[in-house]
Amino acid sequence: MRAILLAAAIVSMAFPASAQDKGAGKSTYDKTCALCHATGLAGAPKFGNKADWAPRLKVGAAKLYASALKGTANGMPGKGGNLTLSDGDVKAAVDYLVASVGGAKSAATPVAAAAAKPSPAEAPKVASAAPVAVVAAPVALRAAAAAPGAAATGAADPNAFNRLLAAPGKRNAPPAEDGIHDPANPGTHALQPPLTALGGMPALAAGNRVNWVSSLEGGRITPRWDRDDAGAAAVVMDLNIVREVKGSMPDVVYPHKQHTEWLDCSNCHPQIFIPQKGANQISMASIMLGQKCGVCHGKVAFPVSECRLCHSKKKEGAGPAAAVAGARK
Amino acid sequence: MRANRSRAALVALALAALLPGPATGEYGDVVLNRRSEAEGVRPVVFPHWFHRIRFRCKVCHSELGFRMRAGSNVVTMKEIADGKFCGMCHNGQVAWAADRCDLCHSGRAGLRSGIQGGHETLGPGHW
């Protein structure tokens, strides 16, 4: 045991930057991975849970490393969301996680694995590391990942870095997989999955990925206007308000019609909007902070990323000709 | 190890509160956990999309008295049983009755109250 410790100590002293011993894997795991993998948050395979890891170990070390480095469509962010980690740190953490379910034991013999390592800088490590099973076993996994082209096989979504941009497979997830419902709760599985209802509705690029207004106009959905009276019709007011905006964005056209299809006057007036021309100061900043339009838009109604749904009226005299005229003055 | 785990869980909670996670429910889902977990049941997940297909906004936000500000509606099971708020429909007549606990109380442990599903505007959405 002492000899092993000594060997490990020599390795870590001689190659402090390689960060590939069990300690580095553990410290990376504790700092970053444990957030999800300790508790199984958002469906992450739990530390030490063989059932969670069994299907993942089957795909091989190369893909496992690729998933950890680049993220997966299941919600694993690249490098666990901590992009300051080096590739070596991430791989060491994967080894540490895999070792927790005994996965590393099935790897090739330590010596062969260590010899297969491509980095010349680490070559001297072979001699001292060979007897150290704890250190060398994870190395076998890493050697497999380092094979040419192996890393490229993990086809991660290139937009995975953007948290607001759900990958196609992640949109409208069924309750048990949506990250907030508890899959262990029997009722979760009795709930309607969003896609069964939203699937055939007119699409929008954001929010529920459904255009609620055209769904209602086209009769695709017929939500009740009154709790008890299924036949009650909405009290619709058809009045457009044009708001001239500063800067180069098109002016905003606010349609009362589409809003009164859903809402009662008292939902907005007078608490959110004073029903008087010029009395309401609205800015994108206040909307982003959840005021004015932001009370609904960005939370349940279509989000603010859909600029042109509101900024829809081209400015008077806007265009290249006006710009040229302005420049000549 | 145990201390490590509970610390990790705490950090996870803190992080989940700051960052929208990779999967956070459907757009417009509201988590109600002001008292649920303290009372020993799962947090409530309210799906706006599901109700929106069946009722216009006005029904709940005008007739039923839900204010359009997450956190400003404190709903107790007693009120629901008395036919207020959710209980105006969840009474076995318009929709399922309040004896189906696990249909509403279906959230993961430790969820923070507020709007979920990749919201883009803040403010009253969180409290």
Side-chain angles (χ1 to χ4, degrees), chain B residues 42-95:
Chain B
R42 292 185 171 87
V44 173
V45 177
F46 170 82
H48 260 109
W49 67 268
F50 181 92
H51 291 82
R52 219 180 150 172
I53 290 171
R54 293 154 178 86
F55 297 93
R56 312 213 187 193
C57 319
K58 168 251 174 192
V59 175
C60 300
H61 290 296
S62 180
E63 278 182 64
L64 269 58
F66 282 103
R67 297 187 62 204
M68 297 195 296
R69 179 182 283 243
S72 61
N73 303 291
V74 182
V75 181
T76 63
M77 285 313 297
K78 184 180 181 304
E79 285 170 310
I80 293 173
D82 287 347
K84 293 177 187 161
F85 295 112
C86 318
M88 281 184 85
C89 296
H90 285 281
N91 50 12
Q93 289 162 358
V94 182

Side-chain angles (χ1 to χ4, degrees), chain A residues 19-53:
Chain A
Q20 291 183 343
D21 56 312
K22 194 182 174 188
K26 184 180 184 315
S27 94
T28 304
Y29 168 83
D30 286 343
K31 274 187 288 184
T32 304
C33 322
L35 296 182
C36 297
H37 287 280
T39 55
L41 195 76
K46 273 170 82 167
F47 182 87
N49 186 326
K50 288 189 179 176
D52 282 1
W53 281 96

Side-chain angles (χ1 to χ4, degrees), chain A residues 50-69:
Chain A
K50 288 189 179 176
D52 282 1
W53 281 96
R56 286 158 170 107
L57 292 178
K58 278 184 201 152
V59 305
K63 286 198 173 169
L64 218 50
Y65 286 141
S67 298
L69 288 170

Side-chain angles (χ1 to χ4, degrees), chain B residues 102-126:
Chain B
D102 60 349
L103 292 179
C104 300
H105 289 275
S106 58
R108 282 173 186 261
L111 282 180
R112 188 170 177 237
S113 295
I115 198 112
Q116 297 282 334
H119 61 91
E120 293 181 9
T121 56
L122 293 171
H126 279 291

Side-chain angles (χ1 to χ4, degrees), chain A residues 172 178 180 182 224 227 301, chain B residues 25-27 54 88 106 108:
Chain A
N172 308 115
D178 71 358
I180 63 170
D182 186 354
R224 279 193 196 183
R227 180 175 63 105
Chain B
E26 185 63 27
Y27 184 71
R54 293 154 178 86
M88 281 184 85
S106 58
R108 282 173 186 261

